[in-house]
Amino acid sequence: MPEPHRSSIRSPRLSLTGNRVLTVCVAAHVVVAVLAGCNPLPTNQIPENAPEAVSTSSGVVNRVIGVVNRVIDGDTLDVHLSTGGDPVRVRVLGIDTPETVDPDASVQCWGPEASTWAHQQLDNTEITLTGDPVADDTDRYGRLLRYVQLPDGSNYSVRAAETGMARAYIYQGQHLTEGANITAAQATAQTNGAGLWGAPCFGETGPS
């Protein structure tokens, strides 16, 4: 947009009025910031790698990119976030895979297969982590509760349920945003006898 024409002659009265208006505006901005209990951060000082806020119909969640550092099992992984720092442990939302690493439980049927599949999908992969408005930020073990978006844009929870590598898992009746999609994916796996729904488990994932 071209700059408006500026007159070379300035009115002292107009200049004084403009200064007063500017002072009032700046003062008002500072008062608002003080009342809000925060320091306004200039746009050019916001870190580029800050998590992106995502608005949903139910609320606001954070989304951040990371690289998988270690796969623990089919529903738990360690991730190096783009925001820096040590890897964080993530519990994938909406699914539960058979146990393989719980020291207090035996290895369950289809657990090793689910873990192997998870390694194939996730090892050293750049992913996007997204929360769910109805879920807690972390679980009782301090793990982040997040959906995992794969490089092709698909939801890892949906894919794991559809291939029979995981069951749909809803904590305390929470209506997760992706809950219906994950449940529908599980129904497809059951119909096809895929993964843990076929031999030798047939849906029973007790000790193998």
Side-chain angles (χ1 to χ4, degrees), residues 17-131:
T17 303
N19 287 339
R20 287 176 178 169
V21 171
L22 177 60
T23 301
V24 170
C25 289
V26 171
H29 180 68
V30 171
V31 169
V32 170
V34 170
L35 289 177
C38 63
N39 242 342
L41 184 66
T43 303
N44 61 4
Q45 292 182 21
I46 296 176
E48 291 182 0
N49 60 356
E52 176 186 355
V54 181
S55 296
T56 69
S57 59
S58 304
V60 177
V61 297
N62 285 331
R63 182 171 64 192
V64 65
I65 293 172
V67 175
V68 177
N69 173 255
R70 180 187 174 202
V71 171
I72 308 302
D73 59 19
D75 57 35
T76 308
L77 51 148
D78 290 342
V79 181
H80 270 298
L81 301 181
S82 62
T83 49
D86 294 331
V88 297
R89 182 147 297 181
V90 176
R91 175 60 168 85
V92 182
L93 281 169
I95 58 171
D96 185 50
T97 58
E99 291 294 341
T100 58
V101 295
D102 188 342
D104 299 321
S106 300
V107 173
Q108 294 182 315
C109 190
W110 210 258
E113 292 84 350
S115 290
T116 297
W117 181 85
H119 279 285
Q120 294 169 347
Q121 301 294 311
L122 298 171
D123 278 346
N124 302 311
T125 300
E126 184 176 273
I127 59 174
T128 302
L129 299 176
T130 308

Side-chain angles (χ1 to χ4, degrees), residues 93 147-150 152-160 178 182:
L93 281 169
Y147 293 116
V148 170
Q149 181 180 322
L150 298 170
D152 64 0
S154 61
N155 185 307
Y156 174 81
S157 297
V158 174
R159 182 178 290 182
E178 291 293 327
I182 296 169

